[in-house]
Amino acid sequence: MSFGPPPSAYTQSALSAGAQAKQRRRKLLLGLLVVALVAGLGAGGWFLLSGDAGGTNTSDGTKASDAPGRLDVRRTVEKRPASTNGVMAVRFSVDDMTPGERYEMPGMWATDKILAKGVNQTVVGLRIGTDASPGDEQWKLPLAGPICGYTRHVTGENRTAVLYRASAKEGALCDHVAFFDLDDGRAVWSHDFPASPSGTNPGVPRNGAVQDSPSVSLTHDTVAVTWGGGTIAYDMDLGKTRWSTKATGACQDNGAAGGGALVVIEQCWSGDESLPVDSWERITYKARKVDPTTGRALWTYSAAKGVRDLDVPSTHPAVLAVSAGDTGITELLSLDEDGGNRATIRLQNGTYVGECSAETYLVDDCPTIAVGAGQVFLRSKEDIGARTTNWIIGFDLATGNTTKKFESGPNALLIPVRTSGDRLLALRESQDRITPTALVSLDPGTGKETPYFYFNLPAEAETFTSIDFNDVLVQDGRLFFGAKSVTGPGADQPKWVYLALGIESEAARRK
């Protein structure tokens, strides 16, 4: 059984390696867990897959969001668990990749029962409470071609969407969308959509022409796909087209941002033909808030000339991330209900750090820019001196003024993950290999930090905290890490490769 190209550990030969490889893997697992347990106890936290790993209990005290409808985008509020001991909730790994093997792993989502991960041209579902390798998945959703786009948003009934190529052949267009159920892996519906060549020329990409990168996102009862030449919106239950738009003149739709509202990013070209068509000097950007029911534009914000990129950390309230130089995001714009500029938050030449995905098909994936409770939270640049440290600071969306500041303290880094109600969830990453790493809650009202649980990562998974190469999410009381891509280790490196990992409070195992 194969998850599709490129050749990898997910080929038939790897999946049929036999009982001997399984036995070797289990012996290695026991050794790793003993090492992790001893190291964790010495640091005051611990990390272990419990004996009752088959359980599928939900987390301690997760409660519904303020938009709990089944067709709304999910936004759960997490509560502090009863125990601060972190245990392994799920793991997905391989131990027989060869040097140079590589496969892409776009997209990661979680429910109270399943951790789902994109792998090449398949989405796999892993049951919470299991230690899985290829072949142990709860379900698989095979696609006709490799995954070429996804959204991090999930509906109230645990559904989401991915884009995929028409086939596994080299040069196949990214022109299909699938809406599927995360709990059972069932495809609710799928459709093909148009493709356009990069730049202002209309038509279908031909003779190796570069395709405009399509994107997909979710908002209430709407799956929105942009494809360069326009936007198509589908209803969630049946996949019927609700509305569509077509690009006009020298502008085209370049990305969809969902969540509490729908914002479409437009890219426009000037008529200066002395410059390359993809030169930033010819391109300007607009953000258009759209009625998801009709497709009607509610407002349009035009970015200043010279802006090199525009991302959307939040659609409700609307917050835009502006890249006006060659060093990434330079400022955040808080917009009002009419698309007017409420406040400008400058990142002060890198003093504050805001990251958005480098993938062209993701305009609303900004993993360390957290928006909620009338504020936006950013982390500071790392101070790498005798003792590594940083801080997280909040900015008021109405005024742009700073609010609370949360210090990491020495030998630690604070990384925003997402807001949860009126709190901020953050990863407290240990830098000294002595104190444990932790998931913590930060209260902007009081400035108090509350630990959710502590844990230590085995050596093979230590790089999971790097947001440049991994997805990080919190859902139903659990913290998940997932690789965006993996490559086989070198000949002199350990063969154990982590693909995804989930951690939860020990209290969840006692239920």
Side-chain angles (χ1 to χ4, degrees):
M1 188 174 296
S2 174
F3 286 171
S8 68
Y10 287 89
T11 60
Q12 181 64 40
S13 60
L15 293 178
S16 58
Q20 188 174 13
K22 281 281 188 180
Q23 186 178 17
R24 182 180 73 252
R25 183 179 186 279
R26 298 305 176 192
K27 289 180 179 178
L28 181 57
L29 166 64
L30 292 175
L32 282 172
L33 289 179
V34 169
V35 172
L37 175 58
V38 172
L41 286 173
W46 58 285
F47 183 97
L48 179 67
L49 184 63
S50 302
D52 59 343
T56 57
N57 294 316
T58 59
S59 66
D60 306 89
T62 299
K63 61 181 181 180
S65 70
D66 54 5
R70 69 180 188 88
L71 299 179
D72 287 317
V73 170
R74 181 185 69 186
R75 192 169 180 84
T76 50
V77 178
E78 309 291 334
K79 293 180 66 177
R80 185 185 184 188
S83 169
T84 57
N85 283 336
V87 301
M88 191 186 299
V90 64
R91 173 165 53 185
F92 191 32
S93 58
V94 294
D95 66 352
D96 54 3
M97 289 186 71
T98 59
E101 280 189 310
R102 176 182 174 87
Y103 42 90
E104 301 301 318
M105 301 190 66
M108 183 172 73
W109 313 266
T111 74
D112 62 335
K113 300 176 182 177
I114 294 291
L115 174 65
K117 196 79 179 76
V119 185
N120 289 336
Q121 64 181 65
T122 302
V123 183
V124 302
L126 311 164
R127 180 166 290 279
I128 300 296
T130 59
D131 177 50
S133 60
D136 299 331
E137 301 87 351
Q138 179 71 16
W139 55 255
K140 295 181 182 180
L141 175 63
L143 304 168
I147 297 169
C148 52
Y150 63 89
T151 174
R152 297 186 70 176
H153 296 302
V154 175
T155 71
E157 59 180 352
N158 294 333
R159 292 176 174 179
T160 191
V162 294
L163 305 180
Y164 60 98
R165 298 188 183 277
S167 73
K169 295 179 180 179
E170 185 177 355
L173 295 176
C174 180
D175 59 359
H176 284 71
V177 56
F179 188 60
F180 65 98
D181 192 295
L182 289 167
D183 284 323
D184 59 17
R186 177 177 60 90
V188 181
W189 51 260
S190 62
H191 283 296
D192 59 354
F193 57 86
S196 68
S198 179
T200 58
N201 295 326
V204 179
R206 299 185 188 279
N207 300 322
V210 177
Q211 178 187 357
D212 273 323
S213 294
S215 77
V216 62
S217 200
L218 311 179
T219 189
H220 174 74
D221 195 21
T222 303
V223 179
V225 174
T226 66
W227 53 277
T231 299
I232 304 175
Y234 307 93
D235 81 274
M236 288 180 172
D237 280 337
L238 301 176
K240 292 184 177 180
T241 300
R242 308 186 73 174
W243 50 266
S244 63
T245 63
K246 286 190 175 182
T248 58
C251 294
Q252 62 178 240
D253 293 346
N254 196 48
L262 179 61
V263 173
V264 174
I265 297 297
E266 292 182 51
Q267 197 174 43
C268 303
W269 283 264
S270 72
D272 187 353
E273 297 183 359
S274 65
L275 297 170
V277 69
D278 58 350
S279 168
W280 65 267
E281 295 178 279
R282 282 191 63 180
I283 298 173
T284 56
Y285 292 91
K286 298 178 182 178
R288 182 176 81 244
K289 185 177 180 180
V290 175
D291 184 329
T293 303
T294 65
R296 180 175 63 90
L298 302 177
W299 51 253
T300 299
Y301 177 89
S302 297
K305 187 177 180 180
V307 167
R308 302 191 186 189
D309 204 2
L310 202 60
D311 292 282
V312 190
S314 173
T315 61
H316 185 72
V319 177
L320 304 181
V322 176
S323 298
D326 55 7
T327 58
I329 297 171
T330 53
E331 58 193 24
L332 301 178
L333 304 179
S334 169
L335 305 185
D336 60 27
E337 290 298 318
D338 298 317
N341 190 359
R342 297 174 70 194
T344 299
I345 299 163
R346 305 190 189 283
L347 274 59
Q348 298 184 10
N349 294 322
T351 299
Y352 307 117
V353 181
E355 293 100 344
C356 291
S357 174
E359 300 289 354
T360 54
Y361 54 76
L362 285 169
V363 298
D364 59 354
D365 181 17
C366 300
T368 64
I369 303 176
V371 180
Q375 299 176 64
V376 59
F377 300 93
L378 295 169
R379 65 182 176 127
S380 75
K381 183 171 59 176
E382 300 171 12
D383 181 4
I384 304 177
R387 297 179 298 179
T388 302
T389 184
N390 80 331
W391 65 85
I392 290 176
I393 195 162
F395 295 87
D396 188 286
L397 291 178
T399 64
N401 296 332
T402 58
T403 55
K404 280 290 188 294
K405 182 179 181 181
F406 300 91
E407 299 274 2
S408 72
N411 300 317
L413 293 175
L414 278 174
I415 304 171
V417 177
R418 72 169 172 90
T419 55
S420 174
D422 59 358
R423 308 292 173 90
L424 172 66
L425 300 179
L427 183 67
R428 172 174 282 279
E429 183 184 358
S430 172
Q431 296 292 296
D432 59 12
R433 295 175 178 259
I434 299 174
T435 55
T437 293
L439 176 68
V440 300
S441 169
L442 306 177
D443 187 340
T446 64
K448 181 180 179 181
E449 177 179 322
T450 303
Y452 272 32
F453 47 73
Y454 298 96
F455 60 95
N456 284 303
L457 293 176
E460 294 81 7
E462 284 183 346
T463 58
F464 263 159
T465 56
S466 171
I467 60 169
D468 292 331
F469 306 104
N470 304 284
D471 292 310
V472 180
L473 68 88
V474 175
Q475 183 59 42
D476 290 296
R478 301 182 179 100
L479 172 64
F480 297 98
F481 301 97
K484 294 181 179 179
S485 65
V486 291
T487 302
D492 59 344
Q493 294 177 311
K495 299 299 183 184
W496 196 282
V497 178
Y498 275 56
L499 309 180
L501 180 67
I503 303 163
E504 67 185 350
S505 166
E506 179 190 14
R509 289 284 179 224
R510 296 174 182 167
K511 288 189 173 183

